[in-house]
């Protein structure tokens, strides 16, 4: 990247020296970060910390920093959807790798470790409510990564081609992209208690995930085609909304990221579990222990 002064209109810094949306300052940033969608879930993560150093909230972005078993860590909520992920990852990277005083990229790169803990819907019959699934591959169908140069460098182009051909991907939709989770993080976090899966990251919760209420679907058979798709003998396991953008942005920016979700809906059997908080609490504790 060329050495340039990043203008105020492109990197907006608040009067207190914090990043525009998330309101975190460079001195508050931690290298180990837990992502959650729900701002209230940040409190649950922080309840397990040994100590708390700071807490800030702005819109759907709630952040608490502290330590866990002596390791500095922070939890931040990103709200719902991949567009929010793009904002949060970009601003966290700016805190790590841009000097807010000079508005120049720092010569030494700082790497962040990011684990998103979320909820998801299963697309295969062998997944049960309460299972934990790692998005070993995130399949983004919202197009965000396509706005960035060099997206092909971090994407699985062979998977993308095979997937689009199998499902008959419509030209009116954003071109899908497929990004692997960081393998070192997957090895560290994933054990026998977690399934390694291929995860669709949708742009919405209803029609983009094949849910029909009052509006008809453009392709009523899309979910069935997704469920039957195979790549190297493996099926797509689950639906959520953020894994692909997180993993794609992190790879482009040279950070380590992965997503692990608790299954709260079984799309094949039409079952759902709204009492999933105990399993999420257990998952948070597990990730903190292994991060």
């Amino acid at each position: 990247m060329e050495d340039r002064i990043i203008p105020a209109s492109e990197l907006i810094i608040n009067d207190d020296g914090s990043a525009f949306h998330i309101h975190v300052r460079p001195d508050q940033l931690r290298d180990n970060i837990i992502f959650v969608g729900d701002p209230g879930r940040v409190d649950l993560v922080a309840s397990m910390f040994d100590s708390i150093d700071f807490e800030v909230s702005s819109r759907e972005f709630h952040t608490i920093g502290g330590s866990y078993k002596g390791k500095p860590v922070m939890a931040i909520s990103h709200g719902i959807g991949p567009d929010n992920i793009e904002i949060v990852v970009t601003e966290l990277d700016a805190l790590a790798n841009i000097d807010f005083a000079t508005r120049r990229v720092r010569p030494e790169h700082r790497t962040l470790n990011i684990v998103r803990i979320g909820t998801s819907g299963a697309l295969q019959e062998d997944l049960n409510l309460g299972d934990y699934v790692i998005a070993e591959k995130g399949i983004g169908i919202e197009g965000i990564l396509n706005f960035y140069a060099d997206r092909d460098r971090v994407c699985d182009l062979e998977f993308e081609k095979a997937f689009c051909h199998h499902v008959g991907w419509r030209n009116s939709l954003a071109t899908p992209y497929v990004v692997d989770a960081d393998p070192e993080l997957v090895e560290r976090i994933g054990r026998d208690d977690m399934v390694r899966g291929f995860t669709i990251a949708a742009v919405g919760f209803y029609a983009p995930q094949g849910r029909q209420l009052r509006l008809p679907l453009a392709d009523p058979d899309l979910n069935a085609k997704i469920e039957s798709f195979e790549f190297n003998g493996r099926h797509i396991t689950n639906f959520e909304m953020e894994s692909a953008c997180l993993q794609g942005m992190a790879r482009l920016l040279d950070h380590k990221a992965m997503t692990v979700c608790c299954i709260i809906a079984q799309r094949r059997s039409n079952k759902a579990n709204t009492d999933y908080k105990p399993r999420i609490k257990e998952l948070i504790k597990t990730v903190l222990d292994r991060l």
Side-chain angles (χ1 to χ4, degrees), residues 166-170 173 207 209-212 216-226:
H166 179 84
V167 303
W169 195 255
R170 298 160 64 93
L173 302 176
Q209 296 187 37
R211 290 183 172 95
Q212 180 176 330
L217 303 178
D219 184 353
D221 300 321
L222 180 58
N223 271 24
K225 290 183 284 188
I226 290 172

Side-chain angles (χ1 to χ4, degrees), residues 52 105 147 154 219 241 248 261:
I52 292 175
V105 175
F147 288 90
V154 301
D219 184 353
M241 297 175 65
C261 287

Side-chain angles (χ1 to χ4, degrees), residues 42 54 88 114 120 147 156 178 192-193 233 252 256 264 266:
V42 173
F54 75 90
V88 175
I114 304 169
S120 183
F147 288 90
D156 188 332
V178 180
D192 292 341
D193 53 356
L252 286 173
K256 299 176 181 293
I264 67 169
Q266 225 309 338

Side-chain angles (χ1 to χ4, degrees), residues 1 13-14 21 37 41 48-49 80 84 108 116 120 124 133 137 177 192 201 214 221-223 234 268 276 283:
M1 181 179 292
I13 301 172
N14 297 317
H21 293 93
R41 196 171 293 162
M48 302 181 192
F49 291 177
I80 297 175
N84 283 1
E108 299 296 325
R116 191 181 93 78
S120 183
Q124 301 299 331
V133 180
K137 287 185 183 293
Y177 60 92
D192 292 341
R214 291 204 319 117
D221 300 321
L222 180 58
N223 271 24
R234 295 174 61 184
R268 299 287 289 272
Y276 56 83
L283 180 57

Side-chain angles (χ1 to χ4, degrees), residues 160-198:
E160 293 174 8
K161 182 179 179 180
F163 174 78
C164 290
H165 176 75
H166 179 84
V167 303
W169 195 255
R170 298 160 64 93
N171 292 333
S172 59
L173 302 176
T175 301
Y177 60 92
V178 180
V179 187
D180 290 349
D182 180 78
E184 190 275 330
L185 268 186
V186 170
E187 287 299 317
R188 194 192 317 174
I189 303 298
R191 307 280 172 84
D192 292 341
D193 53 356
M194 297 180 187
V195 176
R196 298 189 183 190
F198 293 166

Side-chain angles (χ1 to χ4, degrees), residues 7-289:
S9 61
E10 296 187 24
L11 174 61
I12 303 174
I13 301 172
N14 297 317
D15 291 341
D16 64 355
S18 64
F20 181 59
H21 293 93
I22 63 176
H23 278 250
V24 176
R25 301 191 312 268
D27 62 288
Q28 295 172 321
L29 182 66
R30 305 290 192 269
D31 289 341
N32 296 303
I33 306 171
I34 301 293
F35 272 27
V36 292
D38 182 359
R41 196 171 293 162
V42 173
D43 294 308
L44 176 59
V45 178
S47 71
M48 302 181 192
F49 291 177
D50 305 322
S51 62
I52 292 175
D53 302 324
F54 75 90
E55 179 175 6
V56 293
S57 292
S58 175
R59 310 183 195 192
E60 59 265 65
F61 310 115
H62 179 202
T63 309
I64 298 178
S67 67
Y68 180 80
K69 295 185 177 180
K71 179 183 293 186
V73 65
M74 61 185 274
I76 184 168
S77 61
H78 51 73
I80 297 175
D83 50 340
N84 283 1
I85 290 289
E86 192 243 12
I87 290 170
V88 175
V89 173
T90 299
E91 293 192 2
L92 288 173
D93 175 76
L95 293 170
N97 292 302
I98 296 174
D99 186 324
F100 275 26
T102 65
R103 293 181 170 273
R104 294 181 183 274
V105 175
R106 298 181 186 275
E108 299 296 325
H109 183 269
R110 180 179 176 184
T111 300
L112 305 176
N113 301 311
I114 304 169
V115 179
R116 191 181 93 78
I117 299 172
T119 56
S120 183
L123 291 172
Q124 301 299 331
E125 293 177 343
D126 58 351
L127 287 175
N128 301 308
L129 297 177
D131 283 352
Y132 301 143
V133 180
I134 290 174
E136 196 166 31
K137 287 185 183 293
I139 305 145
I141 58 174
E142 21 65 22
I144 288 180
L145 216 65
N146 300 331
F147 288 90
Y148 287 91
D150 298 329
R151 58 83 85 191
D152 287 3
R153 174 174 60 85
V154 301
C155 291
D156 188 332
L157 303 182
E158 185 181 354
F159 190 115
E160 293 174 8
K161 182 179 179 180
F163 174 78
C164 290
H165 176 75
H166 179 84
V167 303
W169 195 255
R170 298 160 64 93
N171 292 333
S172 59
L173 302 176
T175 301
Y177 60 92
V178 180
V179 187
D180 290 349
D182 180 78
E184 190 275 330
L185 268 186
V186 170
E187 287 299 317
R188 194 192 317 174
I189 303 298
R191 307 280 172 84
D192 292 341
D193 53 356
M194 297 180 187
V195 176
R196 298 189 183 190
F198 293 166
T199 301
I200 291 271
V203 69
F205 185 78
Y206 289 99
Q209 296 187 37
R211 290 183 172 95
Q212 180 176 330
L213 302 187
R214 291 204 319 117
L215 293 175
L217 303 178
D219 184 353
D221 300 321
L222 180 58
N223 271 24
K225 290 183 284 188
I226 290 172
E227 292 163 6
S228 64
F229 173 69
E230 287 187 41
F231 188 78
N232 291 337
R234 295 174 61 184
H235 288 92
I236 292 173
T237 49
N238 58 312
F239 255 131
E240 49 88 76
M241 297 175 65
E242 293 91 6
S243 61
C245 185
L246 169 59
Q247 293 166 193
M249 293 293 296
R251 280 193 173 270
L252 286 173
L253 292 164
D254 293 320
H255 299 298
K256 299 176 181 293
M258 62 166 284
T259 290
V260 56
C261 287
C262 177
I263 297 298
I264 67 169
Q266 225 309 338
R267 302 300 302 278
R268 299 287 289 272
S269 62
N270 294 320
K271 295 178 180 178
N273 175 29
T274 57
D275 186 24
Y276 56 83
K277 291 183 180 179
R279 287 292 287 168
I280 287 289
K281 185 175 181 179
E282 180 182 334
L283 180 57
I284 291 169
K285 176 71 164 53
T286 298
V287 170
L288 284 171
D289 283 338

